[in-house]
Amino acid sequence: MSCLPDSIIRSKLRELSGWEFESNAIRKTFTFNRYMDGISFVMKVAEKAETADHHPDIVIGWCRVEVSFTSHDKGGVTEKCLYMAKETNKIKR
């Protein structure tokens, strides 16, 4: 799976609420009412990432979690990154 052109990434992100493209990665910050809700979310994302074999970078803060996808071995965003962004949005619902 190869990296997608910037124009394709930006176009597909219009369908993914809240995701941004920057520095060869797509990222979104999710907010929560309670700290432990964010931790629970991280665990669900980690399980999905393990199943899909495509792991995000995750930054945990107070009632917020930033999730970032890139394909480290390819050097940019692939279809799998976009798939995982969509799946991550489903987890937050």
Side-chain angles (χ1 to χ4, degrees):
M1 188 172 298
S2 60
C3 292
L4 297 170
D6 291 6
S7 60
I8 298 293
I9 296 165
R10 292 183 197 288
S11 174
K12 292 197 178 233
L13 286 183
R14 289 187 198 115
E15 302 166 16
L16 291 169
S17 176
W19 288 86
E20 298 176 349
F21 175 56
E22 179 183 323
S23 302
N24 290 324
I26 56 173
R27 66 182 40 84
K28 179 176 179 176
T29 299
F30 295 86
T31 58
F32 301 88
N33 292 326
R34 299 176 332 156
Y35 179 76
M36 291 308 294
D37 292 340
I39 298 303
S40 175
F41 170 76
V42 167
M43 292 300 296
K44 291 174 185 171
V45 171
E47 289 171 5
K48 183 67 179 178
E50 190 66 14
T51 300
D53 193 29
H54 197 66
H55 305 87
D57 291 323
I58 298 175
V59 177
I60 301 169
W62 179 252
C63 296
R64 71 173 175 71
V65 175
E66 180 184 291
V67 179
S68 176
F69 286 101
T70 189
S71 182
H72 296 286
D73 59 337
K74 303 289 183 191
V77 176
T78 64
E79 285 288 346
K80 207 165 194 180
C81 297
L82 294 169
Y83 166 78
M84 286 302 299
K86 182 178 178 181
E87 293 300 305
T88 301
N89 276 357
K90 288 179 186 177
I91 292 168
K92 177 57 166 92
R93 285 188 207 167

Coordinates of all heavy atoms in Angstrom, one line a residue:
M1 N 0.9 -1.2 0.0 CA 0.0 0.0 0.0 C 0.9 1.2 0.0 O 1.7 1.4 0.9 CB -0.9 0.0 1.2 CG -1.9 1.0 1.2 SD -3.2 0.8 2.6 CE -3.9 -0.7 2.2
S2 N 0.7 2.1 -1.0 CA 1.5 3.3 -1.1 C 0.9 4.5 -0.5 O -0.3 4.6 -0.2 CB 1.9 3.5 -2.5 OG 0.7 3.8 -3.3
C3 N 1.7 5.6 -0.3 CA 1.2 6.8 0.3 C 0.3 7.5 -0.7 O 0.5 7.4 -1.9 CB 2.4 7.8 0.6 SG 3.4 7.2 1.9
L4 N -0.7 8.2 -0.2 CA -1.7 8.9 -1.1 C -1.2 10.3 -1.3 O -0.5 10.9 -0.5 CB -3.0 9.0 -0.4 CG -3.7 7.6 -0.1 CD1 -4.9 7.8 0.8 CD2 -4.1 7.0 -1.4
P5 N -1.5 10.9 -2.5 CA -1.2 12.3 -2.7 C -2.0 13.2 -1.8 O -3.1 12.9 -1.4 CB -1.7 12.5 -4.2 CG -2.0 11.2 -4.7 CD -2.2 10.2 -3.6
D6 N -1.4 14.3 -1.5 CA -2.0 15.3 -0.5 C -3.4 15.7 -1.0 O -4.3 15.8 -0.1 CB -1.2 16.6 -0.5 CG 0.2 16.4 0.2 OD1 0.5 15.3 0.6 OD2 0.8 17.4 0.4
S7 N -3.7 15.8 -2.2 CA -5.0 16.2 -2.7 C -6.1 15.2 -2.4 O -7.2 15.5 -2.0 CB -5.0 16.5 -4.2 OG -4.6 15.4 -4.9
I8 N -5.7 13.9 -2.5 CA -6.6 12.8 -2.2 C -6.9 12.8 -0.7 O -8.0 12.6 -0.3 CB -6.0 11.5 -2.7 CG1 -5.9 11.5 -4.2 CG2 -6.9 10.3 -2.2 CD1 -7.2 11.5 -5.0
I9 N -5.8 12.9 0.1 CA -6.0 12.9 1.5 C -6.9 14.0 2.0 O -7.9 13.8 2.7 CB -4.6 13.1 2.2 CG1 -3.7 11.9 1.9 CG2 -4.8 13.2 3.7 CD1 -2.2 12.1 2.2
R10 N -6.7 15.2 1.5 CA -7.5 16.3 1.9 C -9.0 16.1 1.5 O -9.9 16.5 2.2 CB -7.0 17.6 1.3 CG -5.7 18.0 2.0 CD -5.1 19.4 1.5 NE -3.7 19.6 1.8 CZ -3.2 19.8 3.0 NH1 -4.1 19.8 4.1 NH2 -1.9 20.0 3.2
S11 N -9.2 15.6 0.3 CA -10.5 15.3 -0.2 C -11.2 14.3 0.7 O -12.4 14.5 1.1 CB -10.4 14.8 -1.7 OG -11.7 14.4 -2.1
K12 N -10.6 13.2 1.0 CA -11.2 12.1 1.8 C -11.4 12.6 3.3 O -12.4 12.1 3.9 CB -10.3 10.9 1.8 CG -10.3 10.3 0.4 CD -9.8 8.9 0.4 CE -9.9 8.3 -1.0 NZ -10.7 7.1 -1.0
L13 N -10.6 13.5 3.8 CA -10.8 14.0 5.1 C -12.1 14.9 5.3 O -12.6 15.0 6.4 CB -9.6 14.8 5.6 CG -8.3 14.0 5.9 CD1 -7.3 14.9 6.5 CD2 -8.6 12.9 6.9
R14 N -12.6 15.3 4.2 CA -13.9 16.1 4.2 C -15.0 15.2 4.7 O -16.0 15.7 5.2 CB -14.2 16.6 2.8 CG -13.3 17.8 2.4 CD -13.8 18.4 1.1 NE -12.7 19.2 0.6 CZ -12.1 18.9 -0.6 NH1 -12.5 17.9 -1.3 NH2 -11.1 19.7 -1.0
E15 N -14.8 13.9 4.5 CA -15.8 12.9 5.0 C -15.6 12.4 6.4 O -16.3 11.7 7.0 CB -15.8 11.7 4.1 CG -16.1 12.0 2.6 CD -15.7 10.9 1.7 OE1 -15.5 9.7 2.1 OE2 -15.6 11.1 0.5
L16 N -14.4 12.9 7.0 CA -14.1 12.4 8.4 C -14.0 13.6 9.3 O -13.0 14.3 9.4 CB -12.7 11.7 8.3 CG -12.6 10.4 7.6 CD1 -11.2 9.9 7.4 CD2 -13.4 9.3 8.4
S17 N -15.1 13.8 10.0 CA -15.2 15.0 10.9 C -14.1 15.1 11.9 O -13.7 14.2 12.6 CB -16.5 14.8 11.7 OG -16.7 15.8 12.6
G18 N -13.5 16.3 11.8 CA -12.5 16.7 12.8 C -11.0 16.3 12.5 O -10.1 16.7 13.2
W19 N -10.8 15.5 11.5 CA -9.4 15.1 11.2 C -8.7 16.1 10.3 O -9.3 16.8 9.5 CB -9.4 13.7 10.5 CG -9.8 12.6 11.4 CD1 -11.1 12.2 11.7 CD2 -9.0 11.8 12.1 NE1 -11.1 11.2 12.5 CE2 -9.8 10.9 12.8 CE3 -7.6 11.7 12.2 CZ2 -9.2 9.9 13.7 CZ3 -7.0 10.7 13.1 CH2 -7.9 9.9 13.8
E20 N -7.4 16.3 10.6 CA -6.6 17.3 9.9 C -5.4 16.6 9.4 O -4.9 15.6 9.9 CB -6.2 18.4 10.8 CG -7.3 19.2 11.4 CD -6.9 20.2 12.4 OE1 -5.7 20.2 12.8 OE2 -7.7 21.1 12.8
F21 N -4.9 17.1 8.3 CA -3.7 16.5 7.6 C -2.5 17.5 7.8 O -2.6 18.7 7.5 CB -3.9 16.3 6.2 CG -2.7 15.9 5.4 CD1 -2.0 14.8 5.7 CD2 -2.3 16.6 4.3 CE1 -0.9 14.4 5.0 CE2 -1.2 16.2 3.5 CZ -0.5 15.1 3.9
E22 N -1.4 17.0 8.4 CA -0.3 17.9 8.7 C 1.0 17.0 8.9 O 0.9 16.0 9.6 CB -0.5 18.7 10.0 CG 0.6 19.6 10.4 CD 0.2 20.3 11.7 OE1 -1.0 20.7 11.9 OE2 1.1 20.5 12.5
S23 N 2.1 17.4 8.3 CA 3.4 16.7 8.5 C 3.3 15.2 8.2 O 3.7 14.4 9.0 CB 3.9 16.9 10.0 OG 4.0 18.3 10.2
N24 N 2.7 14.9 7.1 CA 2.6 13.5 6.6 C 1.8 12.6 7.6 O 2.0 11.4 7.6 CB 4.0 12.9 6.4 CG 4.6 13.5 5.2 OD1 3.9 13.8 4.2 ND2 5.9 13.7 5.2
A25 N 0.8 13.2 8.3 CA 0.0 12.4 9.2 C -1.4 13.0 9.3 O -1.6 14.2 9.0 CB 0.6 12.3 10.6
I26 N -2.4 12.2 9.6 CA -3.7 12.7 9.9 C -3.9 12.6 11.4 O -3.5 11.7 12.1 CB -4.8 12.0 9.1 CG1 -4.8 10.5 9.4 CG2 -4.7 12.3 7.6 CD1 -6.0 9.8 8.7
R27 N -4.6 13.7 12.0 CA -4.7 13.7 13.5 C -6.0 14.3 13.9 O -6.6 15.2 13.1 CB -3.6 14.3 14.1 CG -3.4 15.8 13.9 CD -2.1 16.4 14.6 NE -0.9 15.5 14.6 CZ -0.1 15.4 13.6 NH1 -0.2 16.2 12.5 NH2 1.0 14.7 13.6
K28 N -6.5 13.9 15.0 CA -7.7 14.5 15.6 C -7.6 14.4 17.1 O -7.0 13.5 17.7 CB -8.9 13.7 15.2 CG -10.2 14.2 15.7 CD -11.4 13.4 15.1 CE -12.7 13.9 15.7 NZ -13.9 13.2 15.1
T29 N -8.1 15.5 17.8 CA -8.2 15.5 19.2 C -9.6 15.2 19.6 O -10.5 15.9 19.2 CB -7.7 16.8 19.8 OG1 -6.3 17.0 19.4 CG2 -7.8 16.9 21.3
F30 N -9.8 14.2 20.5 CA -11.1 13.8 21.0 C -11.2 14.3 22.4 O -10.2 14.3 23.2 CB -11.2 12.3 21.0 CG -11.2 11.7 19.6 CD1 -10.0 11.4 19.0 CD2 -12.4 11.4 19.0 CE1 -10.0 10.8 17.7 CE2 -12.4 10.9 17.7 CZ -11.2 10.6 17.1
T31 N -12.3 14.8 22.8 CA -12.5 15.3 24.2 C -13.5 14.4 24.9 O -14.4 13.8 24.3 CB -13.0 16.8 24.2 OG1 -14.2 16.9 23.5 CG2 -11.9 17.7 23.6
F32 N -13.4 14.4 26.3 CA -14.2 13.6 27.1 C -14.6 14.3 28.4 O -13.9 15.3 28.8 CB -13.4 12.3 27.5 CG -13.0 11.5 26.3 CD1 -11.8 11.8 25.7 CD2 -13.8 10.5 25.8 CE1 -11.4 11.1 24.5 CE2 -13.4 9.8 24.7 CZ -12.2 10.1 24.0
N33 N -15.7 13.9 29.0 CA -16.1 14.5 30.2 C -15.3 14.1 31.4 O -15.2 14.9 32.4 CB -17.6 14.2 30.5 CG -18.5 14.9 29.5 OD1 -18.2 16.0 29.0 ND2 -19.6 14.3 29.1
R34 N -14.8 12.9 31.4 CA -14.0 12.4 32.5 C -12.7 11.8 31.9 O -12.7 11.2 30.8 CB -14.8 11.3 33.2 CG -16.0 11.7 33.8 CD -16.8 10.6 34.5 NE -16.5 9.3 33.9 CZ -16.7 8.2 34.4 NH1 -17.1 8.1 35.6 NH2 -16.4 7.1 33.8
Y35 N -11.6 11.9 32.7 CA -10.3 11.4 32.3 C -10.4 9.9 32.0 O -9.9 9.5 31.0 CB -9.3 11.6 33.5 CG -8.0 11.0 33.2 CD1 -7.1 11.7 32.4 CD2 -7.5 9.8 33.8 CE1 -5.8 11.2 32.1 CE2 -6.3 9.3 33.5 CZ -5.4 10.1 32.7 OH -4.2 9.6 32.4
M36 N -11.1 9.1 32.8 CA -11.1 7.6 32.6 C -11.9 7.3 31.3 O -11.7 6.2 30.7 CB -11.7 6.9 33.8 CG -10.8 6.9 35.0 SD -9.1 6.4 34.6 CE -9.4 4.6 34.2
D37 N -12.8 8.2 30.8 CA -13.5 7.9 29.6 C -12.5 8.0 28.4 O -12.6 7.2 27.5 CB -14.6 9.0 29.3 CG -15.7 8.8 30.3 OD1 -15.9 7.8 30.9 OD2 -16.5 9.8 30.4
G38 N -11.5 8.9 28.5 CA -10.5 9.0 27.5 C -9.6 7.7 27.6 O -9.2 7.2 26.5
I39 N -9.3 7.2 28.7 CA -8.5 6.0 28.9 C -9.2 4.8 28.3 O -8.6 4.0 27.6 CB -8.1 5.8 30.3 CG1 -7.3 6.9 30.9 CG2 -7.4 4.4 30.5 CD1 -6.0 7.2 30.1
S40 N -10.5 4.7 28.5 CA -11.3 3.6 28.0 C -11.3 3.7 26.4 O -11.1 2.7 25.7 CB -12.7 3.7 28.5 OG -13.5 2.8 27.9
F41 N -11.4 4.9 25.9 CA -11.4 5.1 24.5 C -10.0 4.7 23.9 O -10.0 4.0 22.9 CB -11.6 6.6 24.2 CG -11.3 7.1 22.8 CD1 -12.2 6.8 21.8 CD2 -10.2 7.8 22.5 CE1 -12.0 7.2 20.5 CE2 -9.9 8.2 21.2 CZ -10.8 8.0 20.2
V42 N -8.9 5.0 24.6 CA -7.6 4.6 24.1 C -7.5 3.1 24.0 O -6.9 2.6 23.1 CB -6.5 5.2 25.0 CG1 -5.1 4.6 24.8 CG2 -6.4 6.7 24.8
M43 N -8.0 2.4 25.0 CA -7.9 1.0 25.0 C -8.7 0.4 23.8 O -8.2 -0.6 23.2 CB -8.5 0.4 26.3 CG -7.6 0.7 27.5 SD -6.0 0.0 27.4 CE -6.3 -1.7 27.3
K44 N -9.9 0.9 23.5 CA -10.6 0.5 22.4 C -9.9 0.7 21.0 O -9.9 -0.1 20.1 CB -12.0 1.1 22.4 CG -12.9 0.6 23.5 CD -14.2 1.4 23.6 CE -15.0 1.0 24.8 NZ -16.2 1.8 25.0
V45 N -9.3 1.9 20.9 CA -8.6 2.3 19.7 C -7.4 1.3 19.6 O -7.1 0.8 18.5 CB -8.1 3.7 19.8 CG1 -7.1 4.0 18.6 CG2 -9.3 4.7 19.7
A46 N -6.7 1.0 20.7 CA -5.5 0.1 20.7 C -5.9 -1.3 20.2 O -5.2 -1.9 19.4 CB -4.9 0.1 22.1
E47 N -7.1 -1.8 20.7 CA -7.6 -3.1 20.3 C -7.9 -3.1 18.8 O -7.5 -4.1 18.1 CB -8.8 -3.5 21.1 CG -8.5 -3.8 22.5 CD -9.7 -4.0 23.4 OE1 -10.9 -3.9 22.8 OE2 -9.6 -4.1 24.6
K48 N -8.5 -2.1 18.3 CA -8.8 -2.0 16.8 C -7.5 -1.9 16.0 O -7.4 -2.6 15.0 CB -9.7 -0.8 16.6 CG -10.2 -0.7 15.1 CD -11.1 -1.8 14.7 CE -11.5 -1.7 13.3 NZ -12.4 -2.8 12.9
A49 N -6.6 -1.1 16.5 CA -5.3 -1.0 15.8 C -4.5 -2.3 15.8 O -3.9 -2.6 14.7 CB -4.5 0.1 16.5
E50 N -4.6 -3.0 16.8 CA -3.9 -4.3 16.9 C -4.5 -5.3 15.9 O -3.8 -6.0 15.1 CB -3.9 -4.9 18.3 CG -3.0 -6.1 18.5 CD -1.6 -5.8 18.4 OE1 -1.1 -4.6 18.4 OE2 -0.8 -6.8 18.2
T51 N -5.8 -5.3 15.8 CA -6.5 -6.2 14.9 C -6.2 -5.8 13.4 O -6.0 -6.6 12.6 CB -8.1 -6.1 15.1 OG1 -8.4 -6.5 16.4 CG2 -8.8 -6.9 14.1
A52 N -6.2 -4.5 13.1 CA -5.9 -4.0 11.8 C -4.4 -3.9 11.5 O -4.0 -3.7 10.3 CB -6.5 -2.6 11.6
D53 N -3.6 -4.1 12.5 CA -2.1 -4.0 12.3 C -1.7 -2.7 11.7 O -0.9 -2.6 10.8 CB -1.6 -5.2 11.5 CG -0.1 -5.3 11.5 OD1 0.5 -4.9 12.6 OD2 0.6 -5.7 10.6
H54 N -2.3 -1.6 12.3 CA -2.0 -0.3 11.9 C -2.2 0.6 13.2 O -3.3 0.9 13.6 CB -2.9 0.2 10.8 CG -2.3 1.4 10.1 ND1 -1.1 1.4 9.4 CD2 -2.8 2.7 10.0 CE1 -0.9 2.6 8.9 NE2 -1.9 3.4 9.3
H55 N -1.1 1.0 13.8 CA -1.1 1.6 15.1 C -0.8 3.1 15.1 O 0.1 3.6 14.4 CB 0.0 0.9 16.0 CG -0.1 -0.6 16.0 ND1 0.4 -1.4 15.0 CD2 -0.8 -1.4 16.8 CE1 0.1 -2.7 15.3 NE2 -0.6 -2.7 16.4
P56 N -1.7 3.8 15.9 CA -1.5 5.3 15.9 C -0.5 5.7 16.9 O -0.1 5.0 17.8 CB -2.9 5.7 16.3 CG -3.4 4.6 17.2 CD -2.8 3.3 16.6
D57 N -0.1 7.0 16.8 CA 0.5 7.6 17.9 C -0.6 8.3 18.7 O -1.6 8.8 18.2 CB 1.5 8.7 17.4 CG 2.7 8.2 16.7 OD1 3.2 7.1 17.1 OD2 3.1 8.8 15.7
I58 N -0.5 8.1 20.0 CA -1.6 8.6 20.9 C -1.0 9.5 22.0 O 0.0 9.1 22.7 CB -2.4 7.4 21.5 CG1 -3.1 6.6 20.5 CG2 -3.4 7.9 22.6 CD1 -3.7 5.3 21.0
V59 N -1.6 10.6 22.2 CA -1.2 11.5 23.3 C -2.4 11.7 24.2 O -3.4 12.1 23.8 CB -0.7 12.9 22.8 CG1 -0.3 13.8 24.0 CG2 0.5 12.7 21.9
I60 N -2.2 11.3 25.5 CA -3.3 11.4 26.5 C -3.1 12.6 27.4 O -2.0 12.8 27.9 CB -3.3 10.2 27.4 CG1 -3.5 8.9 26.5 CG2 -4.4 10.3 28.4 CD1 -3.3 7.6 27.2
G61 N -4.1 13.4 27.5 CA -4.1 14.6 28.4 C -5.3 14.6 29.3 O -6.1 13.6 29.3
W62 N -5.6 15.6 30.0 CA -6.7 15.7 30.9 C -8.0 15.8 30.0 O -8.2 16.9 29.4 CB -6.6 16.9 31.8 CG -7.8 17.0 32.7 CD1 -8.8 17.9 32.7 CD2 -8.1 16.1 33.8 NE1 -9.7 17.7 33.6 CE2 -9.4 16.6 34.3 CE3 -7.6 15.0 34.3 CZ2 -10.0 15.9 35.4 CZ3 -8.2 14.3 35.4 CH2 -9.4 14.8 35.9
C63 N -8.8 14.8 30.0 CA -10.1 14.7 29.3 C -9.9 15.0 27.8 O -10.9 15.4 27.1 CB -11.1 15.7 29.9 SG -11.5 15.2 31.6
R64 N -8.8 14.7 27.3 CA -8.6 14.8 25.8 C -7.5 13.7 25.4 O -6.6 13.4 26.1 CB -8.2 16.2 25.4 CG -6.8 16.5 25.8 CD -6.3 17.9 25.2 NE -5.1 18.2 25.7 CZ -3.9 17.5 25.4 NH1 -3.9 16.6 24.5 NH2 -2.8 17.8 26.0
V65 N -7.7 13.2 24.2 CA -6.8 12.3 23.6 C -6.6 12.7 22.1 O -7.5 12.9 21.4 CB -7.4 10.8 23.6 CG1 -6.5 9.9 22.9 CG2 -7.7 10.4 25.0
E66 N -5.3 12.8 21.8 CA -5.0 13.1 20.4 C -4.5 11.8 19.7 O -3.6 11.1 20.2 CB -3.8 14.1 20.3 CG -3.5 14.4 18.8 CD -2.3 15.4 18.7 OE1 -2.5 16.6 19.0 OE2 -1.2 14.9 18.2
V67 N -5.1 11.5 18.6 CA -4.8 10.3 17.8 C -4.2 10.7 16.5 O -4.8 11.6 15.8 CB -6.1 9.4 17.6 CG1 -5.7 8.2 16.8 CG2 -6.7 9.1 19.0
S68 N -3.1 10.1 16.1 CA -2.5 10.5 14.8 C -2.1 9.2 14.1 O -1.5 8.3 14.7 CB -1.2 11.3 15.2 OG -0.5 11.5 14.0
F69 N -2.4 9.2 12.8 CA -2.1 8.0 12.0 C -1.2 8.4 10.8 O -1.4 9.5 10.2 CB -3.4 7.4 11.3 CG -4.2 6.6 12.3 CD1 -5.3 7.2 12.8 CD2 -3.8 5.3 12.7 CE1 -6.1 6.5 13.7 CE2 -4.6 4.6 13.5 CZ -5.8 5.2 14.1
T70 N -0.2 7.6 10.6 CA 0.7 7.7 9.4 C 1.3 6.3 9.2 O 1.2 5.5 10.1 CB 1.8 8.8 9.6 OG1 2.5 9.0 8.4 CG2 2.8 8.4 10.7
S71 N 1.8 6.1 8.1 CA 2.4 4.8 7.8 C 3.9 5.1 7.9 O 4.5 5.6 7.0 CB 2.0 4.3 6.4 OG 2.7 3.0 6.2
H72 N 4.5 4.7 9.1 CA 5.9 5.0 9.3 C 6.8 4.4 8.3 O 7.8 5.0 7.8 CB 6.3 4.6 10.7 CG 5.6 5.4 11.8 ND1 5.9 6.7 12.1 CD2 4.6 5.0 12.6 CE1 5.1 7.1 13.1 NE2 4.3 6.1 13.4
D73 N 6.5 3.2 7.9 CA 7.4 2.5 6.9 C 7.2 3.0 5.5 O 8.1 3.0 4.7 CB 7.2 1.0 6.9 CG 5.8 0.5 6.6 OD1 4.8 1.3 6.8 OD2 5.6 -0.6 6.2
K74 N 6.1 3.7 5.2 CA 5.8 4.2 3.9 C 6.1 5.7 3.8 O 6.3 6.3 2.8 CB 4.4 4.0 3.4 CG 3.9 2.6 3.4 CD 4.6 1.9 2.3 CE 4.0 0.4 2.2 NZ 4.7 -0.4 1.4
G75 N 6.2 6.4 5.0 CA 6.5 7.8 5.1 C 5.4 8.7 4.8 O 5.6 9.9 4.4
G76 N 4.1 8.3 5.1 CA 3.0 9.2 4.8 C 1.7 8.5 5.1 O 1.6 7.4 5.7
V77 N 0.6 9.1 4.6 CA -0.7 8.6 4.8 C -1.2 7.7 3.7 O -1.0 7.9 2.5 CB -1.7 9.8 4.9 CG1 -3.2 9.3 5.0 CG2 -1.4 10.7 6.1
T78 N -1.7 6.5 4.1 CA -2.2 5.5 3.2 C -3.7 5.3 3.4 O -4.3 5.9 4.3 CB -1.5 4.1 3.5 OG1 -1.8 3.7 4.8 CG2 0.0 4.3 3.4
E79 N -4.3 4.5 2.6 CA -5.7 4.1 2.7 C -6.0 3.5 4.1 O -7.0 3.7 4.7 CB -6.1 3.1 1.6 CG -6.3 3.7 0.3 CD -7.6 4.6 0.1 OE1 -8.4 4.6 1.0 OE2 -7.6 5.4 -0.9
K80 N -5.0 2.8 4.6 CA -5.2 2.1 5.9 C -5.3 3.2 7.0 O -6.1 3.0 8.0 CB -4.0 1.2 6.2 CG -4.4 0.1 7.1 CD -3.4 -1.0 7.1 CE -3.9 -2.3 7.8 NZ -2.9 -3.4 7.8
C81 N -4.6 4.3 6.9 CA -4.7 5.4 7.8 C -6.1 6.0 7.8 O -6.7 6.2 8.9 CB -3.7 6.5 7.5 SG -1.9 6.0 7.6
L82 N -6.6 6.2 6.6 CA -8.0 6.7 6.5 C -9.0 5.8 7.0 O -10.0 6.2 7.7 CB -8.2 7.1 5.0 CG -7.4 8.2 4.5 CD1 -7.5 8.3 3.0 CD2 -7.7 9.6 5.1
Y83 N -8.8 4.5 6.8 CA -9.7 3.5 7.3 C -9.7 3.5 8.9 O -10.7 3.5 9.5 CB -9.3 2.1 6.9 CG -9.9 1.0 7.6 CD1 -11.2 0.6 7.4 CD2 -9.2 0.3 8.6 CE1 -11.8 -0.4 8.1 CE2 -9.8 -0.7 9.3 CZ -11.1 -1.1 9.1 OH -11.7 -2.1 9.8
M84 N -8.5 3.6 9.5 CA -8.4 3.7 10.9 C -9.0 4.9 11.5 O -9.6 4.9 12.6 CB -7.0 3.5 11.4 CG -6.5 2.0 11.2 SD -7.5 0.8 12.1 CE -7.2 1.4 13.8
A85 N -8.9 6.0 10.8 CA -9.5 7.3 11.2 C -11.0 7.1 11.3 O -11.6 7.5 12.3 CB -9.1 8.4 10.3
K86 N -11.6 6.5 10.3 CA -13.0 6.3 10.2 C -13.4 5.4 11.4 O -14.4 5.6 12.1 CB -13.4 5.6 8.9 CG -14.8 5.4 8.7 CD -15.1 4.8 7.3 CE -16.6 4.5 7.1 NZ -16.8 3.9 5.8
E87 N -12.7 4.3 11.6 CA -13.0 3.4 12.7 C -12.8 4.0 14.1 O -13.6 3.8 15.0 CB -12.1 2.1 12.6 CG -12.4 1.3 11.4 CD -13.8 0.7 11.4 OE1 -14.2 0.1 12.3 OE2 -14.5 1.0 10.4
T88 N -11.9 4.9 14.2 CA -11.7 5.6 15.5 C -12.8 6.6 15.7 O -13.3 6.7 16.9 CB -10.3 6.4 15.4 OG1 -9.3 5.5 15.2 CG2 -10.1 7.2 16.7
N89 N -13.4 7.2 14.7 CA -14.5 8.1 14.9 C -15.7 7.2 15.4 O -16.5 7.7 16.2 CB -14.9 8.8 13.6 CG -14.2 10.0 13.3 OD1 -13.4 10.5 14.2 ND2 -14.4 10.6 12.2
K90 N -15.9 6.0 14.9 CA -17.0 5.1 15.3 C -16.8 4.8 16.8 O -17.9 4.7 17.5 CB -17.0 3.8 14.5 CG -17.4 4.0 13.0 CD -17.3 2.7 12.3 CE -17.6 2.8 10.9 NZ -17.5 1.4 10.2
I91 N -15.6 4.6 17.2 CA -15.4 4.2 18.6 C -15.9 5.3 19.5 O -16.5 5.1 20.6 CB -13.9 3.9 18.9 CG1 -13.5 2.6 18.2 CG2 -13.6 3.8 20.4 CD1 -12.0 2.3 18.1
K92 N -15.7 6.6 19.2 CA -16.0 7.7 20.0 C -17.5 8.0 20.1 O -18.0 8.5 21.1 CB -15.3 9.0 19.5 CG -15.7 10.3 20.2 CD -15.3 10.2 21.7 CE -15.3 11.6 22.3 NZ -16.6 12.0 22.9
R93 N -18.3 7.5 19.2 CA -19.8 7.8 19.2 C -20.4 7.5 20.5 O -20.4 6.9 21.3 CB -20.5 7.0 18.1 CG -20.2 7.6 16.8 CD -21.1 6.9 15.8 NE -20.4 6.9 14.5 CZ -20.8 6.2 13.5 NH1 -21.7 5.4 13.5 NH2 -20.1 6.4 12.3

